């Protein structure tokens, strides 16, 4: 790993010895042969050291933040396991999958609002956790997890044992929204599910189009219940921030930010209890 190389003390000792050698060489060249190299060479070296110092300070901050996030993930995972005991092994978390701090927010919001109909855009570990939780706590609830990739839909299906939870393979299709073409899950699979109380937006991936998750609200707004909550993952990303801003302006939503490693935002209709920060 490159950052390990230039944060070691040995690297610094070698860099300083090399620089002293170069400075001496430049001074000698100027003194012996009259070559005007000393000042430009010294300037170059100082510039290189300044860049290195900047990068190291950046890395120190990154390491500290990573350590803080890692601790949060362990604490969140312990919290999750203290709430219920899954009957299946949970899929891997973080990276593409939901992080424990995000999953903890899903579970906390479930306990607080007790939604009856839950829809997830993007299936995975979050779907397995919700399915297990509903089976233990609220077997009358209905839960639908959409996935545009059959491979991942099937992987999630293998772990979902609650009859109230369904993982639905919903390939992306084209929609026209305000005269513009967008891709989103084929929502015909959600026909007749009733009013959605909790909508979790963790897909599709950002690579499918600019503002990839924007269509969720224009397409599903008429299916949301009066007190519906929308929970978005990955809101540290610029695209997600723009989507939230647009939803607020275009559909009169309110939002609340929650600190998690990838960023979490909870949204609801204005006046439904969610306040803008
Ligand atoms: C952000 S993931 C959804 C995560 C899910 N909510 C969870 O908690 O695990 C969005 C989509 O990415 C796809 N996906 C999941 N893991 C992937 C991987 N390792 N590589 C590529 N795509 C992946 C799946 O189709 C998934 O629906």
């Amino acid at each position: 790993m490159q950052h390990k190389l230039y944060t070691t003390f040995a690297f610094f000792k070698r860099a300083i010895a090399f620089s002293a050698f170069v400075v001496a060489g430049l001074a000698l060249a100027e003194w012996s042969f009259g070559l005007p190299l000393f000042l430009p060479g010294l300037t170059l070296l100082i510039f290189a050291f300044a860049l290195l110092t900047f990068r190291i300070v950046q890395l120190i901050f990154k390491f500290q933040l990573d350590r803080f996030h890692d601790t949060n993930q362990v604490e969140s995972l312990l919290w999750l396991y203290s709430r219920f005991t899954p009957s299946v092994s949970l899929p891997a978390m973080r990276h593409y999958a939901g992080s424990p701090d995000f999953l903890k927010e899903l579970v906390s919001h479930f306990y607080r609002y007790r939604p009856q109909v839950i829809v997830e855009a993007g299936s995975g570990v979050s779907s397995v956790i919700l399915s297990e939780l509903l089976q233990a706590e609220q077997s009358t609830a209905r839960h639908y997890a959409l996935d545009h990739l059959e491979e991942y839909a099937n992987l999630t299906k293998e772990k979902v044992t609650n009859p109230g939870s369904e993982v639905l393979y919903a390939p992306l299709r084209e929609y026209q929204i305000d005269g513009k073409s967008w891709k989103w899950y084929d929502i015909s699979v959600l026909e007749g599910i009733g009013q959605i109380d909790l909508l979790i937006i963790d897909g599709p991936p950002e690579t499918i189009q600019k503002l990839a998750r924007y269509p969720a609200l224009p397409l599903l707004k008429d299916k949301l219940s009066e007190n519906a909550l929308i929970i978005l993952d990955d809101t540290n990303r610029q695209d997600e921030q723009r989507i939230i801003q647009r939803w607020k302006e275009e559909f009169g939503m309110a939002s609340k930010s929650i600190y998690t490693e990838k960023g979490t935002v909870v949204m609801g209709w204005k006046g439904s209890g969610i306040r803008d920060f």
Side-chain angles (χ1 to χ4, degrees), residues 84 107 110-111 114-120 126-144 162-166 198 200:
F84 67 100
V107 174
F110 164 79
Y111 279 118
R114 295 275 171 179
Q116 192 56 27
V117 178
I118 302 173
V119 170
E120 275 189 273
S126 53
S127 325
V128 181
I129 288 185
L130 283 172
S131 133
E132 292 282 319
L133 182 68
L134 295 175
Q135 194 154 24
E137 297 275 344
Q138 195 170 311
S139 58
T140 54
R142 293 290 164 262
H143 165 215
Y144 308 90
N162 174 3
S165 291
E166 276 183 70
L198 175 60
I200 298 158

PDB file of all heavy atoms in Angstrom, residues 84 107 110-111 114-120 126-144 162-166 198 200:
ATOM      1  N   PHE A  84     -32.436  -8.423  17.753  1.00  0.00           N
ATOM      2  CA  PHE A  84     -33.062  -9.668  17.312  1.00  0.00           C
ATOM      3  C   PHE A  84     -31.978 -10.640  16.868  1.00  0.00           C
ATOM      4  O   PHE A  84     -30.860 -10.241  16.541  1.00  0.00           O
ATOM      5  CB  PHE A  84     -34.068  -9.416  16.174  1.00  0.00           C
ATOM      6  CG  PHE A  84     -33.426  -8.946  14.903  1.00  0.00           C
ATOM      7  CD1 PHE A  84     -33.196  -9.821  13.856  1.00  0.00           C
ATOM      8  CD2 PHE A  84     -33.033  -7.630  14.757  1.00  0.00           C
ATOM      9  CE1 PHE A  84     -32.585  -9.391  12.690  1.00  0.00           C
ATOM     10  CE2 PHE A  84     -32.417  -7.197  13.601  1.00  0.00           C
ATOM     11  CZ  PHE A  84     -32.209  -8.065  12.573  1.00  0.00           C
ATOM     12  N   VAL A 107     -33.630  -0.107  11.284  1.00  0.00           N
ATOM     13  CA  VAL A 107     -34.288  -0.850  12.365  1.00  0.00           C
ATOM     14  C   VAL A 107     -34.877   0.126  13.394  1.00  0.00           C
ATOM     15  O   VAL A 107     -36.014  -0.043  13.843  1.00  0.00           O
ATOM     16  CB  VAL A 107     -33.294  -1.857  12.996  1.00  0.00           C
ATOM     17  CG1 VAL A 107     -33.911  -2.536  14.198  1.00  0.00           C
ATOM     18  CG2 VAL A 107     -32.876  -2.899  11.960  1.00  0.00           C
ATOM     19  N   PHE A 110     -37.944   1.533  12.056  1.00  0.00           N
ATOM     20  CA  PHE A 110     -39.021   0.528  12.083  1.00  0.00           C
ATOM     21  C   PHE A 110     -39.672   0.528  13.476  1.00  0.00           C
ATOM     22  O   PHE A 110     -40.898   0.593  13.601  1.00  0.00           O
ATOM     23  CB  PHE A 110     -38.497  -0.872  11.741  1.00  0.00           C
ATOM     24  CG  PHE A 110     -39.480  -1.931  12.145  1.00  0.00           C
ATOM     25  CD1 PHE A 110     -40.594  -2.190  11.357  1.00  0.00           C
ATOM     26  CD2 PHE A 110     -39.345  -2.617  13.353  1.00  0.00           C
ATOM     27  CE1 PHE A 110     -41.554  -3.117  11.760  1.00  0.00           C
ATOM     28  CE2 PHE A 110     -40.293  -3.547  13.759  1.00  0.00           C
ATOM     29  CZ  PHE A 110     -41.404  -3.796  12.955  1.00  0.00           C
ATOM     30  N   TYR A 111     -38.865   0.458  14.529  1.00  0.00           N
ATOM     31  CA  TYR A 111     -39.419   0.407  15.890  1.00  0.00           C
ATOM     32  C   TYR A 111     -40.232   1.666  16.194  1.00  0.00           C
ATOM     33  O   TYR A 111     -41.255   1.616  16.858  1.00  0.00           O
ATOM     34  CB  TYR A 111     -38.306   0.267  16.925  1.00  0.00           C
ATOM     35  CG  TYR A 111     -37.824  -1.166  17.073  1.00  0.00           C
ATOM     36  CD1 TYR A 111     -36.511  -1.514  16.786  1.00  0.00           C
ATOM     37  CD2 TYR A 111     -38.700  -2.174  17.496  1.00  0.00           C
ATOM     38  CE1 TYR A 111     -36.073  -2.827  16.918  1.00  0.00           C
ATOM     39  CE2 TYR A 111     -38.264  -3.487  17.624  1.00  0.00           C
ATOM     40  CZ  TYR A 111     -36.954  -3.807  17.336  1.00  0.00           C
ATOM     41  OH  TYR A 111     -36.540  -5.096  17.463  1.00  0.00           O
ATOM     42  N   ARG A 114     -43.318   1.701  13.057  1.00  0.00           N
ATOM     43  CA  ARG A 114     -44.054   0.458  12.798  1.00  0.00           C
ATOM     44  C   ARG A 114     -44.756   0.460  11.429  1.00  0.00           C
ATOM     45  O   ARG A 114     -45.988   0.316  11.340  1.00  0.00           O
ATOM     46  CB  ARG A 114     -45.092   0.218  13.904  1.00  0.00           C
ATOM     47  CG  ARG A 114     -44.455  -0.029  15.257  1.00  0.00           C
ATOM     48  CD  ARG A 114     -44.101  -1.469  15.393  1.00  0.00           C
ATOM     49  NE  ARG A 114     -43.311  -1.750  16.578  1.00  0.00           N
ATOM     50  CZ  ARG A 114     -42.896  -2.962  16.914  1.00  0.00           C
ATOM     51  NH1 ARG A 114     -43.178  -3.999  16.186  1.00  0.00           N
ATOM     52  NH2 ARG A 114     -42.178  -3.166  17.979  1.00  0.00           N
ATOM     53  N   PRO A 115     -44.021   0.643  10.344  1.00  0.00           N
ATOM     54  CA  PRO A 115     -44.660   0.684   9.019  1.00  0.00           C
ATOM     55  C   PRO A 115     -45.308  -0.662   8.672  1.00  0.00           C
ATOM     56  O   PRO A 115     -44.798  -1.716   9.060  1.00  0.00           O
ATOM     57  CB  PRO A 115     -43.485   0.974   8.075  1.00  0.00           C
ATOM     58  CG  PRO A 115     -42.280   0.513   8.818  1.00  0.00           C
ATOM     59  CD  PRO A 115     -42.562   0.707  10.266  1.00  0.00           C
ATOM     60  N   GLN A 116     -46.385  -0.592   7.926  1.00  0.00           N
ATOM     61  CA  GLN A 116     -47.114  -1.816   7.574  1.00  0.00           C
ATOM     62  C   GLN A 116     -46.724  -2.296   6.178  1.00  0.00           C
ATOM     63  O   GLN A 116     -46.711  -3.484   5.906  1.00  0.00           O
ATOM     64  CB  GLN A 116     -48.618  -1.514   7.670  1.00  0.00           C
ATOM     65  CG  GLN A 116     -49.529  -2.708   7.613  1.00  0.00           C
ATOM     66  CD  GLN A 116     -49.231  -3.770   8.691  1.00  0.00           C
ATOM     67  OE1 GLN A 116     -48.704  -3.453   9.772  1.00  0.00           O
ATOM     68  NE2 GLN A 116     -49.537  -5.021   8.388  1.00  0.00           N
ATOM     69  N   VAL A 117     -46.428  -1.338   5.277  1.00  0.00           N
ATOM     70  CA  VAL A 117     -45.986  -1.718   3.922  1.00  0.00           C
ATOM     71  C   VAL A 117     -44.622  -1.066   3.674  1.00  0.00           C
ATOM     72  O   VAL A 117     -44.470   0.147   3.785  1.00  0.00           O
ATOM     73  CB  VAL A 117     -47.008  -1.271   2.844  1.00  0.00           C
ATOM     74  CG1 VAL A 117     -46.506  -1.619   1.444  1.00  0.00           C
ATOM     75  CG2 VAL A 117     -48.364  -1.924   3.098  1.00  0.00           C
ATOM     76  N   ILE A 118     -43.651  -1.913   3.373  1.00  0.00           N
ATOM     77  CA  ILE A 118     -42.269  -1.423   3.180  1.00  0.00           C
ATOM     78  C   ILE A 118     -41.811  -1.783   1.766  1.00  0.00           C
ATOM     79  O   ILE A 118     -41.987  -2.929   1.334  1.00  0.00           O
ATOM     80  CB  ILE A 118     -41.320  -2.083   4.205  1.00  0.00           C
ATOM     81  CG1 ILE A 118     -41.789  -1.782   5.631  1.00  0.00           C
ATOM     82  CG2 ILE A 118     -39.874  -1.641   4.005  1.00  0.00           C
ATOM     83  CD1 ILE A 118     -41.021  -2.521   6.712  1.00  0.00           C
ATOM     84  N   VAL A 119     -41.232  -0.816   1.076  1.00  0.00           N
ATOM     85  CA  VAL A 119     -40.650  -1.102  -0.250  1.00  0.00           C
ATOM     86  C   VAL A 119     -39.190  -0.683  -0.215  1.00  0.00           C
ATOM     87  O   VAL A 119     -38.858   0.387   0.292  1.00  0.00           O
ATOM     88  CB  VAL A 119     -41.410  -0.361  -1.375  1.00  0.00           C
ATOM     89  CG1 VAL A 119     -40.654  -0.462  -2.697  1.00  0.00           C
ATOM     90  CG2 VAL A 119     -42.812  -0.925  -1.546  1.00  0.00           C
ATOM     91  N   GLU A 120     -38.353  -1.549  -0.737  1.00  0.00           N
ATOM     92  CA  GLU A 120     -36.925  -1.242  -0.813  1.00  0.00           C
ATOM     93  C   GLU A 120     -36.502  -1.176  -2.275  1.00  0.00           C
ATOM     94  O   GLU A 120     -36.788  -2.118  -3.032  1.00  0.00           O
ATOM     95  CB  GLU A 120     -36.122  -2.386  -0.202  1.00  0.00           C
ATOM     96  CG  GLU A 120     -35.937  -2.361   1.261  1.00  0.00           C
ATOM     97  CD  GLU A 120     -34.928  -3.449   1.623  1.00  0.00           C
ATOM     98  OE1 GLU A 120     -35.365  -4.599   1.815  1.00  0.00           O
ATOM     99  OE2 GLU A 120     -33.729  -3.155   1.690  1.00  0.00           O
ATOM    100  N   SER A 126     -29.915  -5.400   3.827  1.00  0.00           N
ATOM    101  CA  SER A 126     -31.021  -4.642   4.438  1.00  0.00           C
ATOM    102  C   SER A 126     -32.326  -5.436   4.325  1.00  0.00           C
ATOM    103  O   SER A 126     -33.129  -5.462   5.262  1.00  0.00           O
ATOM    104  CB  SER A 126     -31.178  -3.288   3.739  1.00  0.00           C
ATOM    105  OG  SER A 126     -31.295  -3.480   2.340  1.00  0.00           O
ATOM    106  N   SER A 127     -32.529  -6.115   3.198  1.00  0.00           N
ATOM    107  CA  SER A 127     -33.769  -6.887   2.993  1.00  0.00           C
ATOM    108  C   SER A 127     -33.810  -8.076   3.947  1.00  0.00           C
ATOM    109  O   SER A 127     -34.865  -8.404   4.491  1.00  0.00           O
ATOM    110  CB  SER A 127     -33.859  -7.417   1.554  1.00  0.00           C
ATOM    111  OG  SER A 127     -33.311  -6.514   0.652  1.00  0.00           O
ATOM    112  N   VAL A 128     -32.655  -8.714   4.148  1.00  0.00           N
ATOM    113  CA  VAL A 128     -32.617  -9.877   5.035  1.00  0.00           C
ATOM    114  C   VAL A 128     -32.905  -9.434   6.464  1.00  0.00           C
ATOM    115  O   VAL A 128     -33.707 -10.042   7.175  1.00  0.00           O
ATOM    116  CB  VAL A 128     -31.242 -10.597   4.935  1.00  0.00           C
ATOM    117  CG1 VAL A 128     -31.215 -11.815   5.832  1.00  0.00           C
ATOM    118  CG2 VAL A 128     -30.944 -10.978   3.495  1.00  0.00           C
ATOM    119  N   ILE A 129     -32.295  -8.326   6.872  1.00  0.00           N
ATOM    120  CA  ILE A 129     -32.514  -7.827   8.238  1.00  0.00           C
ATOM    121  C   ILE A 129     -33.985  -7.450   8.435  1.00  0.00           C
ATOM    122  O   ILE A 129     -34.612  -7.844   9.419  1.00  0.00           O
ATOM    123  CB  ILE A 129     -31.581  -6.645   8.531  1.00  0.00           C
ATOM    124  CG1 ILE A 129     -30.157  -7.180   8.685  1.00  0.00           C
ATOM    125  CG2 ILE A 129     -32.015  -5.859   9.762  1.00  0.00           C
ATOM    126  CD1 ILE A 129     -29.130  -6.181   9.085  1.00  0.00           C
ATOM    127  N   LEU A 130     -34.548  -6.717   7.468  1.00  0.00           N
ATOM    128  CA  LEU A 130     -35.948  -6.311   7.633  1.00  0.00           C
ATOM    129  C   LEU A 130     -36.871  -7.518   7.652  1.00  0.00           C
ATOM    130  O   LEU A 130     -37.810  -7.587   8.438  1.00  0.00           O
ATOM    131  CB  LEU A 130     -36.356  -5.350   6.515  1.00  0.00           C
ATOM    132  CG  LEU A 130     -35.855  -3.925   6.695  1.00  0.00           C
ATOM    133  CD1 LEU A 130     -36.125  -3.088   5.462  1.00  0.00           C
ATOM    134  CD2 LEU A 130     -36.512  -3.274   7.920  1.00  0.00           C
ATOM    135  N   SER A 131     -36.579  -8.478   6.796  1.00  0.00           N
ATOM    136  CA  SER A 131     -37.430  -9.670   6.740  1.00  0.00           C
ATOM    137  C   SER A 131     -37.395 -10.421   8.076  1.00  0.00           C
ATOM    138  O   SER A 131     -38.424 -10.838   8.598  1.00  0.00           O
ATOM    139  CB  SER A 131     -36.972 -10.526   5.557  1.00  0.00           C
ATOM    140  OG  SER A 131     -36.836 -11.847   5.903  1.00  0.00           O
ATOM    141  N   GLU A 132     -36.205 -10.532   8.652  1.00  0.00           N
ATOM    142  CA  GLU A 132     -36.061 -11.225   9.944  1.00  0.00           C
ATOM    143  C   GLU A 132     -36.770 -10.439  11.052  1.00  0.00           C
ATOM    144  O   GLU A 132     -37.445 -11.001  11.904  1.00  0.00           O
ATOM    145  CB  GLU A 132     -34.578 -11.352  10.304  1.00  0.00           C
ATOM    146  CG  GLU A 132     -33.807 -12.289   9.396  1.00  0.00           C
ATOM    147  CD  GLU A 132     -34.056 -13.752   9.731  1.00  0.00           C
ATOM    148  OE1 GLU A 132     -34.105 -14.076  10.922  1.00  0.00           O
ATOM    149  OE2 GLU A 132     -34.207 -14.565   8.797  1.00  0.00           O
ATOM    150  N   LEU A 133     -36.580  -9.126  11.009  1.00  0.00           N
ATOM    151  CA  LEU A 133     -37.167  -8.267  12.037  1.00  0.00           C
ATOM    152  C   LEU A 133     -38.698  -8.331  11.987  1.00  0.00           C
ATOM    153  O   LEU A 133     -39.368  -8.461  13.015  1.00  0.00           O
ATOM    154  CB  LEU A 133     -36.696  -6.826  11.785  1.00  0.00           C
ATOM    155  CG  LEU A 133     -37.148  -5.787  12.771  1.00  0.00           C
ATOM    156  CD1 LEU A 133     -36.503  -6.018  14.129  1.00  0.00           C
ATOM    157  CD2 LEU A 133     -36.767  -4.388  12.268  1.00  0.00           C
ATOM    158  N   LEU A 134     -39.242  -8.256  10.769  1.00  0.00           N
ATOM    159  CA  LEU A 134     -40.705  -8.285  10.628  1.00  0.00           C
ATOM    160  C   LEU A 134     -41.272  -9.621  11.089  1.00  0.00           C
ATOM    161  O   LEU A 134     -42.315  -9.675  11.730  1.00  0.00           O
ATOM    162  CB  LEU A 134     -41.102  -8.022   9.173  1.00  0.00           C
ATOM    163  CG  LEU A 134     -40.754  -6.627   8.639  1.00  0.00           C
ATOM    164  CD1 LEU A 134     -41.079  -6.504   7.169  1.00  0.00           C
ATOM    165  CD2 LEU A 134     -41.503  -5.561   9.430  1.00  0.00           C
ATOM    166  N   GLN A 135     -40.548 -10.680  10.761  1.00  0.00           N
ATOM    167  CA  GLN A 135     -41.030 -11.999  11.172  1.00  0.00           C
ATOM    168  C   GLN A 135     -41.124 -12.082  12.706  1.00  0.00           C
ATOM    169  O   GLN A 135     -42.059 -12.638  13.253  1.00  0.00           O
ATOM    170  CB  GLN A 135     -40.094 -13.080  10.654  1.00  0.00           C
ATOM    171  CG  GLN A 135     -40.693 -14.463  10.742  1.00  0.00           C
ATOM    172  CD  GLN A 135     -40.106 -15.405   9.703  1.00  0.00           C
ATOM    173  OE1 GLN A 135     -38.983 -15.189   9.218  1.00  0.00           O
ATOM    174  NE2 GLN A 135     -40.827 -16.439   9.352  1.00  0.00           N
ATOM    175  N   ALA A 136     -40.129 -11.476  13.367  1.00  0.00           N
ATOM    176  CA  ALA A 136     -40.097 -11.543  14.825  1.00  0.00           C
ATOM    177  C   ALA A 136     -41.067 -10.551  15.471  1.00  0.00           C
ATOM    178  O   ALA A 136     -41.638 -10.824  16.512  1.00  0.00           O
ATOM    179  CB  ALA A 136     -38.681 -11.267  15.315  1.00  0.00           C
ATOM    180  N   GLU A 137     -41.235  -9.384  14.837  1.00  0.00           N
ATOM    181  CA  GLU A 137     -41.931  -8.292  15.532  1.00  0.00           C
ATOM    182  C   GLU A 137     -43.290  -7.909  14.967  1.00  0.00           C
ATOM    183  O   GLU A 137     -44.102  -7.343  15.670  1.00  0.00           O
ATOM    184  CB  GLU A 137     -41.054  -7.018  15.479  1.00  0.00           C
ATOM    185  CG  GLU A 137     -39.739  -7.144  16.186  1.00  0.00           C
ATOM    186  CD  GLU A 137     -39.875  -6.853  17.666  1.00  0.00           C
ATOM    187  OE1 GLU A 137     -40.877  -6.278  18.074  1.00  0.00           O
ATOM    188  OE2 GLU A 137     -38.953  -7.226  18.415  1.00  0.00           O
ATOM    189  N   GLN A 138     -43.471  -8.137  13.661  1.00  0.00           N
ATOM    190  CA  GLN A 138     -44.710  -7.624  13.054  1.00  0.00           C
ATOM    191  C   GLN A 138     -45.030  -8.446  11.809  1.00  0.00           C
ATOM    192  O   GLN A 138     -44.865  -7.983  10.687  1.00  0.00           O
ATOM    193  CB  GLN A 138     -44.496  -6.146  12.681  1.00  0.00           C
ATOM    194  CG  GLN A 138     -45.771  -5.407  12.373  1.00  0.00           C
ATOM    195  CD  GLN A 138     -45.517  -3.921  12.264  1.00  0.00           C
ATOM    196  OE1 GLN A 138     -44.888  -3.325  13.132  1.00  0.00           O
ATOM    197  NE2 GLN A 138     -45.997  -3.312  11.203  1.00  0.00           N
ATOM    198  N   SER A 139     -45.533  -9.641  12.043  1.00  0.00           N
ATOM    199  CA  SER A 139     -45.693 -10.568  10.915  1.00  0.00           C
ATOM    200  C   SER A 139     -46.809 -10.145   9.955  1.00  0.00           C
ATOM    201  O   SER A 139     -46.899 -10.669   8.848  1.00  0.00           O
ATOM    202  CB  SER A 139     -45.941 -11.986  11.439  1.00  0.00           C
ATOM    203  OG  SER A 139     -47.074 -11.961  12.257  1.00  0.00           O
ATOM    204  N   THR A 140     -47.619  -9.149  10.358  1.00  0.00           N
ATOM    205  CA  THR A 140     -48.687  -8.699   9.450  1.00  0.00           C
ATOM    206  C   THR A 140     -48.139  -7.725   8.396  1.00  0.00           C
ATOM    207  O   THR A 140     -48.825  -7.416   7.419  1.00  0.00           O
ATOM    208  CB  THR A 140     -49.785  -7.955  10.240  1.00  0.00           C
ATOM    209  OG1 THR A 140     -49.147  -6.912  10.990  1.00  0.00           O
ATOM    210  CG2 THR A 140     -50.533  -8.902  11.162  1.00  0.00           C
ATOM    211  N   ALA A 141     -46.924  -7.208   8.609  1.00  0.00           N
ATOM    212  CA  ALA A 141     -46.358  -6.221   7.671  1.00  0.00           C
ATOM    213  C   ALA A 141     -46.021  -6.898   6.348  1.00  0.00           C
ATOM    214  O   ALA A 141     -45.738  -8.096   6.299  1.00  0.00           O
ATOM    215  CB  ALA A 141     -45.117  -5.595   8.276  1.00  0.00           C
ATOM    216  N   ARG A 142     -46.035  -6.098   5.266  1.00  0.00           N
ATOM    217  CA  ARG A 142     -45.653  -6.611   3.950  1.00  0.00           C
ATOM    218  C   ARG A 142     -44.424  -5.830   3.469  1.00  0.00           C
ATOM    219  O   ARG A 142     -44.365  -4.614   3.582  1.00  0.00           O
ATOM    220  CB  ARG A 142     -46.806  -6.456   2.944  1.00  0.00           C
ATOM    221  CG  ARG A 142     -48.010  -7.336   3.274  1.00  0.00           C
ATOM    222  CD  ARG A 142     -47.686  -8.833   3.024  1.00  0.00           C
ATOM    223  NE  ARG A 142     -48.635  -9.724   3.666  1.00  0.00           N
ATOM    224  CZ  ARG A 142     -48.455 -10.344   4.840  1.00  0.00           C
ATOM    225  NH1 ARG A 142     -47.364 -10.140   5.561  1.00  0.00           N
ATOM    226  NH2 ARG A 142     -49.357 -11.163   5.330  1.00  0.00           N
ATOM    227  N   HIS A 143     -43.490  -6.572   2.930  1.00  0.00           N
ATOM    228  CA  HIS A 143     -42.181  -5.992   2.611  1.00  0.00           C
ATOM    229  C   HIS A 143     -41.757  -6.461   1.216  1.00  0.00           C
ATOM    230  O   HIS A 143     -41.778  -7.665   0.941  1.00  0.00           O
ATOM    231  CB  HIS A 143     -41.212  -6.483   3.717  1.00  0.00           C
ATOM    232  CG  HIS A 143     -39.759  -6.315   3.427  1.00  0.00           C
ATOM    233  ND1 HIS A 143     -38.820  -7.225   3.854  1.00  0.00           N
ATOM    234  CD2 HIS A 143     -39.057  -5.345   2.771  1.00  0.00           C
ATOM    235  CE1 HIS A 143     -37.620  -6.832   3.494  1.00  0.00           C
ATOM    236  NE2 HIS A 143     -37.733  -5.700   2.832  1.00  0.00           N
ATOM    237  N   TYR A 144     -41.415  -5.508   0.340  1.00  0.00           N
ATOM    238  CA  TYR A 144     -41.057  -5.833  -1.044  1.00  0.00           C
ATOM    239  C   TYR A 144     -39.684  -5.220  -1.345  1.00  0.00           C
ATOM    240  O   TYR A 144     -39.522  -4.000  -1.183  1.00  0.00           O
ATOM    241  CB  TYR A 144     -42.094  -5.272  -2.014  1.00  0.00           C
ATOM    242  CG  TYR A 144     -43.500  -5.685  -1.644  1.00  0.00           C
ATOM    243  CD1 TYR A 144     -44.278  -4.897  -0.777  1.00  0.00           C
ATOM    244  CD2 TYR A 144     -44.054  -6.877  -2.117  1.00  0.00           C
ATOM    245  CE1 TYR A 144     -45.549  -5.274  -0.399  1.00  0.00           C
ATOM    246  CE2 TYR A 144     -45.343  -7.262  -1.746  1.00  0.00           C
ATOM    247  CZ  TYR A 144     -46.077  -6.456  -0.884  1.00  0.00           C
ATOM    248  OH  TYR A 144     -47.341  -6.838  -0.498  1.00  0.00           O
ATOM    249  N   ASN A 162     -39.077 -15.050   5.591  1.00  0.00           N
ATOM    250  CA  ASN A 162     -40.357 -14.540   6.080  1.00  0.00           C
ATOM    251  C   ASN A 162     -41.384 -14.526   4.935  1.00  0.00           C
ATOM    252  O   ASN A 162     -41.136 -13.890   3.905  1.00  0.00           O
ATOM    253  CB  ASN A 162     -40.108 -13.119   6.610  1.00  0.00           C
ATOM    254  CG  ASN A 162     -41.364 -12.403   7.024  1.00  0.00           C
ATOM    255  OD1 ASN A 162     -42.456 -12.958   6.976  1.00  0.00           O
ATOM    256  ND2 ASN A 162     -41.209 -11.156   7.435  1.00  0.00           N
ATOM    257  N   PRO A 163     -42.531 -15.183   5.082  1.00  0.00           N
ATOM    258  CA  PRO A 163     -43.524 -15.168   4.006  1.00  0.00           C
ATOM    259  C   PRO A 163     -44.067 -13.766   3.713  1.00  0.00           C
ATOM    260  O   PRO A 163     -44.613 -13.509   2.636  1.00  0.00           O
ATOM    261  CB  PRO A 163     -44.638 -16.092   4.512  1.00  0.00           C
ATOM    262  CG  PRO A 163     -44.305 -16.472   5.905  1.00  0.00           C
ATOM    263  CD  PRO A 163     -42.943 -15.991   6.253  1.00  0.00           C
ATOM    264  N   GLY A 164     -43.891 -12.826   4.656  1.00  0.00           N
ATOM    265  CA  GLY A 164     -44.356 -11.451   4.442  1.00  0.00           C
ATOM    266  C   GLY A 164     -43.366 -10.612   3.638  1.00  0.00           C
ATOM    267  O   GLY A 164     -43.637  -9.457   3.326  1.00  0.00           O
ATOM    268  N   SER A 165     -42.212 -11.176   3.329  1.00  0.00           N
ATOM    269  CA  SER A 165     -41.196 -10.432   2.569  1.00  0.00           C
ATOM    270  C   SER A 165     -41.030 -11.057   1.185  1.00  0.00           C
ATOM    271  O   SER A 165     -40.969 -12.276   1.065  1.00  0.00           O
ATOM    272  CB  SER A 165     -39.843 -10.516   3.282  1.00  0.00           C
ATOM    273  OG  SER A 165     -39.870  -9.800   4.480  1.00  0.00           O
ATOM    274  N   GLU A 166     -40.927 -10.197   0.175  1.00  0.00           N
ATOM    275  CA  GLU A 166     -40.726 -10.717  -1.184  1.00  0.00           C
ATOM    276  C   GLU A 166     -39.575  -9.969  -1.844  1.00  0.00           C
ATOM    277  O   GLU A 166     -39.545  -8.731  -1.797  1.00  0.00           O
ATOM    278  CB  GLU A 166     -41.966 -10.456  -2.039  1.00  0.00           C
ATOM    279  CG  GLU A 166     -43.055 -11.489  -1.907  1.00  0.00           C
ATOM    280  CD  GLU A 166     -44.203 -11.162  -2.863  1.00  0.00           C
ATOM    281  OE1 GLU A 166     -44.034 -11.298  -4.088  1.00  0.00           O
ATOM    282  OE2 GLU A 166     -45.252 -10.746  -2.352  1.00  0.00           O
ATOM    283  N   LEU A 198     -43.051   2.906   4.320  1.00  0.00           N
ATOM    284  CA  LEU A 198     -41.600   3.112   4.403  1.00  0.00           C
ATOM    285  C   LEU A 198     -40.976   2.732   3.066  1.00  0.00           C
ATOM    286  O   LEU A 198     -41.142   1.600   2.589  1.00  0.00           O
ATOM    287  CB  LEU A 198     -41.011   2.238   5.528  1.00  0.00           C
ATOM    288  CG  LEU A 198     -39.483   2.261   5.657  1.00  0.00           C
ATOM    289  CD1 LEU A 198     -38.960   3.669   5.936  1.00  0.00           C
ATOM    290  CD2 LEU A 198     -39.018   1.314   6.777  1.00  0.00           C
ATOM    291  N   ILE A 200     -37.358   2.617   1.117  1.00  0.00           N
ATOM    292  CA  ILE A 200     -35.907   2.672   1.359  1.00  0.00           C
ATOM    293  C   ILE A 200     -35.208   2.764   0.001  1.00  0.00           C
ATOM    294  O   ILE A 200     -35.405   1.904  -0.863  1.00  0.00           O
ATOM    295  CB  ILE A 200     -35.451   1.420   2.137  1.00  0.00           C
ATOM    296  CG1 ILE A 200     -36.160   1.400   3.490  1.00  0.00           C
ATOM    297  CG2 ILE A 200     -33.936   1.409   2.327  1.00  0.00           C
ATOM    298  CD1 ILE A 200     -36.229   0.031   4.111  1.00  0.00           C
TER     299      ILE A 200
END
